[in-house]
Amino acid sequence: PKIRPQAPQISPRRKSRQIMVGSVPVGGDAPVSVQSMTTTLTSDVNSTLQQIAELTASGCQIVRVACPSQDDADALPLIAKKSPIPVIADIHFQPKYVFAAIDAGCAAVRVNPGNIKKFDDKVGEIAKAASAAGVPIRIGVNAGSLDKRLLEKYGKATPEALVESALWECSLFEEHGFQDIKISVKHNDPVIMIEAYRQLAARCDYPLHLGVTEAGPAFQGTIKSAVAFGALLSQGIGDTIRVSLSAPPVEEIKVGNQILESLGLRERGLEIVSCPACGRAQVDVYSLADRVTAALEGFPMPLRVAVMGCVVNGPGEAREADLGVASGNGKGQIFVKGEVIKTVPEDQIVETLVEEAMRIAEEAGID
Ligand code: SF4
């Protein structure tokens, strides 16, 4: 995805080394990517591929699948082969599945240092196999499964404990000359999570996978993730993001993409600039904004559409947009590129905006 050229830039990106997750570069000057995780049984290949297809269609760039059993490991080769986007295998406890995932052609493997004890003596073999296959490893530290040794040392999952766990695990891989690594240090509290990533960013140059873990149901999880990712990304920290919601994974992708668009890190698609309405509103702004959003969903090019409830700020905002309406007296003044092109009755506002949007796309040579 292109970065909107005219958008003012937030802070420069932290300099990180770049790794390749299949065809998707992560870190360095690569655009921040968006990922999610399937909720199907990985062993159910058809359902998993179906969900990956839905995720891909919604803008997911990398997908992770859990691999808790041999049946899941057995499904990995077909999933990795047929998935249109790179597949990361998520492995806890069992080193044998790391090797299975690498052999299966997965684009990367996530391991968790908190339950990696059995892994420690296998790090050399894992590094060797991953290196030979060109498969990066994500060291994924999670507050809920922090290494017992560090829990005893710090008393709880503090930012320092999360960072120490991640860097300790990295050092084990580094001893074997392996640095094809990205890191996450997730916590459900955005304040702790932000501090952990800040400390981590200052202490290594590995690319960072941002996540607020167990962020909650859609509303709360969206806010927590947006606040935490916004704080970090606005300081140039973060190379790939995963929003965790107790909601279908496609919702995670929509939120992740919207966060990047809001920060100007991703070209904005359909952007509805609608007013909150007030005592001056002369139209049902909420319903009008919803209907315009629904009618233009999936519009094939960036488009800023202003939906304004009255003529106070209406014409001004509508002029700044590609397309807009300022309502009043049961009518809508329709603006295109800053010019009033017509005034239509209220019940024709949505269809007129859609017609004009189509004309804009046609003029841009987009069907
Ligand atoms: Fe109120 Fe008009 Fe502003 Fe909407 S555009 S919030 S109706 S003053």
Side-chain angles (χ1 to χ4, degrees):
K2 284 177 283 177
I3 292 173
R4 191 176 197 155
Q6 72 271 32
Q9 292 288 299
I10 53 175
S11 298
R13 287 275 291 283
R14 156 183 171 264
K15 286 198 177 6
S16 60
R17 62 175 66 224
Q18 189 171 88
I19 64 167
M20 293 299 294
V21 177
S23 56
V24 178
V26 175
D29 57 2
V32 178
S33 49
V34 176
Q35 53 179 289
S36 183
M37 191 165 178
T38 52
T39 55
T40 52
L41 285 175
T42 302
S43 56
D44 181 348
V45 174
N46 285 341
S47 299
T48 302
L49 284 171
Q50 173 63 29
Q51 197 172 54
I52 292 175
E54 288 163 14
L55 283 166
T56 307
S58 68
C60 182
Q61 295 168 287
I62 297 170
V63 66
R64 185 155 45 107
V65 301
C67 184
S69 75
Q70 188 59 48
D71 285 348
D72 300 312
D74 292 343
L76 291 177
L78 199 50
I79 293 170
K81 183 165 175 239
K82 297 218 161 167
S83 169
I85 53 177
V87 174
I88 299 180
D90 193 80
I91 316 279
H92 294 252
F93 303 111
Q94 305 237 42
K96 66 179 178 183
Y97 298 146
V98 175
F99 299 109
I102 293 170
D103 288 345
C106 288
V109 178
R110 180 269 172 121
V111 297
N112 179 346
N115 52 37
I116 209 172
K117 275 281 157 261
K118 293 177 197 160
F119 280 53
D120 280 0
D121 52 356
K122 292 272 182 192
V123 166
E125 281 175 61
I126 293 173
K128 197 170 163 201
S131 185
V135 169
I137 302 279
R138 168 154 71 94
I139 309 284
V141 178
N142 195 311
S145 51
L146 187 64
D147 190 328
K148 283 203 178 55
R149 181 178 61 86
L150 292 166
L151 261 185
E152 276 161 25
K153 178 174 171 187
Y154 289 95
K156 58 183 178 178
T158 62
E160 291 74 16
L162 297 170
V163 170
E164 186 172 328
S165 175
L167 293 180
W168 162 253
E169 203 55 40
C170 287
S171 74
L172 296 182
F173 279 96
E174 286 159 0
E175 277 173 21
H176 296 278
F178 187 85
Q179 292 189 298
D180 201 4
I181 290 171
K182 65 177 170 143
I183 308 179
S184 60
V185 280
K186 299 190 183 182
H187 197 288
N188 64 48
D189 182 335
V191 176
I192 297 174
M193 175 272 194
I194 290 167
E195 181 55 23
Y197 276 98
R198 280 190 184 143
Q199 291 183 15
L200 187 60
R203 291 183 57 187
C204 71
D205 71 348
Y206 290 118
L208 302 182
H209 162 125
L210 302 187
V212 177
T213 189
E214 291 104 30
F219 178 75
Q220 181 184 291
T222 298
I223 304 283
K224 277 188 175 183
S225 301
V227 168
F229 295 3
L232 290 164
L233 290 167
S234 67
Q235 295 182 335
I237 298 171
D239 301 287
T240 182
I241 61 172
R242 191 267 169 115
V243 174
S244 300
L245 301 178
S246 303
V250 164
E251 297 305 311
E252 299 182 346
I253 296 303
K254 285 188 194 163
V255 173
N257 282 328
Q258 194 68 50
I259 290 171
L260 296 185
E261 288 184 21
S262 299
L263 290 166
L265 289 168
R266 170 76 57 93
E267 188 173 59
R268 292 184 180 138
L270 176 64
E271 189 181 358
I272 304 292
V273 180
S274 59
C275 81
C278 70
R280 293 183 202 91
Q282 294 181 11
V283 70
D284 180 351
V285 180
Y286 305 165
S287 147
L288 185 58
D290 280 347
R291 282 182 290 133
V292 172
T293 306
L296 290 171
E297 199 186 343
F299 194 70
M301 61 180 281
L303 190 73
R304 182 178 293 157
V305 184
V307 178
M308 308 299 286
C310 78
V311 291
V312 174
N313 291 323
E317 284 288 1
R319 276 196 198 97
E320 291 297 312
D322 296 309
L323 186 61
V325 58
S327 303
N329 285 333
K331 298 188 188 116
Q333 270 187 328
I334 306 291
F335 291 77
V336 176
K337 306 278 181 204
E339 302 291 334
V340 179
I341 56 148
K342 60 174 94 164
T343 300
V344 298
E346 201 175 301
D347 62 1
Q348 289 175 24
I349 290 174
V350 176
E351 63 185 80
T352 309
L353 288 174
V354 171
E355 274 168 28
E356 293 307 322
M358 295 304 175
R359 208 186 313 278
I360 290 172
E362 211 172 289
E363 281 165 13
I366 295 169
D367 287 328

